[in-house]
């Protein structure tokens, strides 16, 4: 199985990374995929969103797994992986992960520690989604080094240009120096308020600026209080507000994500012929 590894990244906080990780991940599971979500943020928001209210009480989290990689220890199958009732698996995180980030600075192969961990589990999964922390630090670089795809949520309310430029530079650098396989899936507009024109203006600006080099997803995620409530509920938008507009949007995003991989697959076989 050729596992698709998707980093969900933007160094800006509050743009919908974690919400997208939950609902794209569970959307993929509903489409029959085997999905592992990785919480790569010491805040543990993904872990909390999936129902563990106190991540620091968990016996095993991502920092332990990365620690084992650093010290060359064996990782038993599925160690520390949690199962969510909606059909996804989760490698949780807690605040210890920020200590791990500090120790990475002096580690050998420091950019590929997460990749080395994922290499031990990816055989079990068709899709792995990595929820990145809001910075371009060593943990995000590890996520980009481990991924073959990146999805960039952008909140439709603010002009994202400057921060986006930095993120794209980091992506280019990682691609050149560590991971040539990394491809940008696209920019996802989130929290779109249908009463304003921000979303249209921003997607036009993005299209003008990046000249078709970077796709803006056709799906936009609407703003909705129902979406805001889900993180406290420990479930997805499909369970919390089925039939709502945000559930529908994340379903459409799931289809777009699957379409991208199908197209790339076709392209590949086309070239080899
Ligand atoms: P990030 O991971 O980028 O920091 P989150 O996914 O945690 O962003 O979202 C930031 C806040 O916005 C959270 O309180 C979340 O519940 C809320 N939120 C996310 N998506 C939506 C949406 N479509 N409509 C309204 N609120 C949302
Ligand atoms: Mg988050």
């Amino acid at each position: 199985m050729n596992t698709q590894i998707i980093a969900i990244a933007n160094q800006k906080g509050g743009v919908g990374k974690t919400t997208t990780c939950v609902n794209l991940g569970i959307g993929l599971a509903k489409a029959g995929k085997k999905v592992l979500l990785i919480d790569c943020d010491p805040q543990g928001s993904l872990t909390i969103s999936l129902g563990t209210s106190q991540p620091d009480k968990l016996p095993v989290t991502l920092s332990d797994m990365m620690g084992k990689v650093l010290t060359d220890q064996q990782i038993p199958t599925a160690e520390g992986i949690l199962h969510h009732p909606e059909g996804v698996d989760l490698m949780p995180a807690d605040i210890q992960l920020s200590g791990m980030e500090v120790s990475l600075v002096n580690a050998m192969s420091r950019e590929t520690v997460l990749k080395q961990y994922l290499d031990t589990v990816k055989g079990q999964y068709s899709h792995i989604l990595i929820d990145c922390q809001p910075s371009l630090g060593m943990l995000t670089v590890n996520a980009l080094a481990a991924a073959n795809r990146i999805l960039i949520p952008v909140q439709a309310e603010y002009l994202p240009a400057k921060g986006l430029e930095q993120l794209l530079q980091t992506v280019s650098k990682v691609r050149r120096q560590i991971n040539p396989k990394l491809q940008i899936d696209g920019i996802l507009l989130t929290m779109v308020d249908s009463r304003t024109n921000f979303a249209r203006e921003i997607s036009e600006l993005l299209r003008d600026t990046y000249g078709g080099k970077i796709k803006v997803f056709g799906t936009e995620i609407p703003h909705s209080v129902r979406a805001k409530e889900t993180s406290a509920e420990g479930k997805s938008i499909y369970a919390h507000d089925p039939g709502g507009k945000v559930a529908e949007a994340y379903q459409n995003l799931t289809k777009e994500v699957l379409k991208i991989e199908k197209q790339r697959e076709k392209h590949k076989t086309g070239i080899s012929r």
Side-chain angles (χ1 to χ4, degrees):
M1 194 161 22
N2 197 357
T3 308
Q4 298 291 316
I5 304 180
I6 308 177
I8 299 179
N10 185 336
Q11 74 274 31
K12 194 163 159 27
V15 297
K17 289 182 290 296
T18 302
T19 307
T20 298
C21 195
V22 169
N23 295 301
L24 174 59
I26 294 177
L28 287 166
K30 284 170 170 296
K33 304 299 177 186
K34 281 285 287 164
V35 181
L36 173 65
L37 306 180
I38 305 285
D39 192 345
C40 198
D41 181 352
Q43 295 298 324
S45 318
L46 177 65
T47 304
I48 296 167
S49 293
L50 289 170
T52 299
S53 56
Q54 291 178 294
D56 44 351
K57 300 238 162 90
L58 289 167
V60 179
T61 59
L62 181 60
S63 66
D64 300 305
M65 295 300 100
M66 292 174 75
K68 285 198 172 183
V69 171
L70 285 176
T71 53
D72 277 326
Q73 291 176 64
Q74 281 285 331
I75 297 177
T77 312
E79 183 181 17
I81 291 178
L82 306 176
H83 308 287
H84 187 270
E86 290 182 69
V88 292
D89 284 357
L90 168 71
M91 172 46 67
D94 68 348
I95 195 68
Q96 277 185 34
L97 192 57
S98 64
M100 170 52 60
E101 181 165 39
V102 174
S103 40
L104 281 178
V105 172
N106 291 311
M108 208 190 279
S109 311
R110 58 186 182 171
E111 291 94 356
T112 58
V113 175
L114 179 60
K115 179 189 181 339
Q116 292 176 65
Y117 167 63
L118 294 185
D119 283 344
T120 71
V121 291
K122 71 180 186 188
Q124 309 298 312
Y125 299 98
S126 63
H127 291 76
I128 298 178
L129 272 51
I130 309 171
D131 186 25
C132 293
Q133 69 171 157
S135 89
L136 293 175
M138 202 39 88
L139 286 171
T140 299
V141 169
N142 263 263
L144 296 178
N148 63 314
R149 309 164 63 171
I150 166 172
L151 186 157
I152 307 169
V154 165
Q155 190 181 351
E157 202 163 319
Y158 302 102
L159 288 185
K162 187 92 195 259
L164 206 52
E165 203 52 53
Q166 270 181 337
L167 174 59
L168 295 175
Q169 273 169 17
T170 304
V171 170
S172 305
K173 201 167 171 189
V174 168
R175 203 188 270 142
R176 267 197 321 272
Q177 298 186 4
I178 315 170
N179 179 15
K181 284 193 187 140
L182 182 61
Q183 286 187 290
I184 301 176
D185 276 8
I187 293 170
L188 173 70
L189 293 180
T190 62
M191 303 182 222
V192 172
D193 184 345
S194 58
R195 292 166 307 178
T196 71
N197 273 331
F198 285 139
R200 195 172 324 136
E201 281 168 21
I202 288 174
S203 59
E204 270 167 22
L205 177 88
L206 291 170
R207 288 196 178 97
D208 287 352
T209 314
Y210 300 107
K213 264 196 295 188
I214 300 173
K215 170 190 161 85
V216 179
F217 281 96
T219 305
E220 292 172 355
I221 310 299
H223 187 279
S224 152
V225 277
R226 304 312 293 272
K228 207 173 182 64
E229 290 159 4
T230 54
S231 35
E233 297 265 324
K235 36 183 165 166
S236 74
I237 192 70
Y238 314 108
H240 182 66
D241 186 26
K245 58 187 181 173
V246 175
E248 190 191 347
Y250 274 113
Q251 247 158 8
N252 290 335
L253 176 69
T254 305
K255 285 185 200 146
E256 271 197 79
V257 164
L258 288 170
K259 200 166 145 199
I260 290 172
E261 59 194 64
K262 223 181 236 162
Q263 279 168 346
R264 284 191 188 138
E265 198 51 46
K266 230 198 256 165
H267 188 63
K268 236 195 279 168
T269 50
I271 282 172
S272 67
R273 256 188 241 120

